[in-house]
Amino acid sequence: MNKPLATLFFLLIPALAPAAELVLTQQQLASAQLATTTVTARELKPRLGLTATLTADRRKSHRVTPVVDGLVTELLMVENDTVHKGQVLARLRSNSLGQAQADYLEALARFDLARAERARIEGLWKDGIVAESRWLAVDSEYKRARATLDARRRLLSLAGLSDDQIQALAQKPDRLAEFELISPIDGMVTGVEIESGQLATAGQAAFHVDDLSSLWAEVRVPVASLPRIELGAEVLIQVEASPGREYRGRLQSLGGEVERQSQTLGGRIVVDNPDDVLRPGMYAAVTLTGISYQGLVVPASAVFRVGEQAYLFEVTGPRRFKPVPIEIGTEAGDWIAVRAGIAADTEIVSGGVAELKSHWQYQGGE
């Protein structure tokens, strides 16, 4: 190495090395107005602030569809109507269903006749008035009538008729070919895809009914925050429609794939809606409680950084302070966890750190 350059290099080393200890004059100490505290152990519950969009809980969403083709004759419910389980949403007329209903009623009449004949012949056979062959023939006819009736009943069930509706056919023969679309749950009609006079085809979505007693809050969680959260974490949710009110929920799931551009992962929060204020489509402010930490913590105001290294000022005596490099961990509000570098009950500077740092750097610190 060139001798002048080597001399300059070694002269610079003391200036670049951090000062082992900072000593303030009495005037500097008074001007700094420092505050001190001690390093303590406590539990931290970090909180992560996110934004979310509310959506319907898909486990409680239902699509109501006709099972057979039919002409819409009456539309009874529209969007935003509140409905109850079993309530009629619309009435339709179907020629194919009418034929199936007529076949069922014919089978029912034959079954009733065969059942009555069987009961009559059974009594005569037991009294020895009619031959056994006559009894067997009547019993066989009864079983065939019952099988036919069961088959016709199954066809009506497949067409979407409930047991109550099938049983009511005999009392309302003038309503043949008519059927109703029924709400399967208590909830709100959030979509209507049919109108009066329309021919609705089998399987076509006619109504969307959602139970809004709970909703989903869809969030995007930064990848860097994933180590701090876990499934089942408690969540507080606020919306503009209810200022000052906090709704509680739980983090139910995290997505399986990270969005490349934003480097976030989708998360689903289930939130209760007890006062029926929350609605799908609302934006919400979400506060997610992270994994608890139990260990040494210091006030956030006590920590300062030089480059990527975090430091604390340890109080080593009257007007004497030592910068201590530390490894920090979880941050929660006004507190920061310390993983290494400082011991419990150590006295540190918690206020006036910025001015103390400037004195340290002026006296040869980093």
Side-chain angles (χ1 to χ4, degrees), residues 297-310:
V297 298
V298 295
S301 60
V303 178
F304 68 96
R305 291 172 174 81
V306 178
E308 296 183 356
Q309 179 61 58

Side-chain angles (χ1 to χ4, degrees), residues 24-32 319 355:
L24 299 183
T25 65
Q26 192 65 42
Q27 183 179 1
Q28 288 173 329
L29 182 64
S31 174
R319 297 185 289 108
E355 185 169 350

Side-chain angles (χ1 to χ4, degrees), residues 32 34 301-304 313 349-361:
L34 303 182
S301 60
V303 178
F304 68 96
F313 278 117
V349 177
S350 59
V353 172
E355 185 169 350
L356 201 59
K357 176 185 175 183
S358 66
H359 283 299
W360 173 55
Q361 291 178 321

Side-chain angles (χ1 to χ4, degrees), residues 69 115 131 190 213 236 269 278 282 290:
D69 296 348
R115 179 172 56 185
T190 56
S213 60
L236 297 178
I269 297 164
L278 303 180
M282 283 183 175

Side-chain angles (χ1 to χ4, degrees), residues 302-349:
V303 178
F304 68 96
R305 291 172 174 81
V306 178
E308 296 183 356
Q309 179 61 58
Y311 289 87
L312 294 171
F313 278 117
E314 178 184 351
V315 180
T316 57
R319 297 185 289 108
R320 306 179 77 88
F321 310 94
K322 177 182 178 181
V324 179
I326 60 170
E327 180 184 347
I328 63 174
T330 300
E331 299 185 30
D334 297 330
W335 298 91
I336 297 179
V338 179
R339 294 178 177 173
I342 200 79
D345 299 324
T346 301
E347 187 178 9
I348 60 172
V349 177

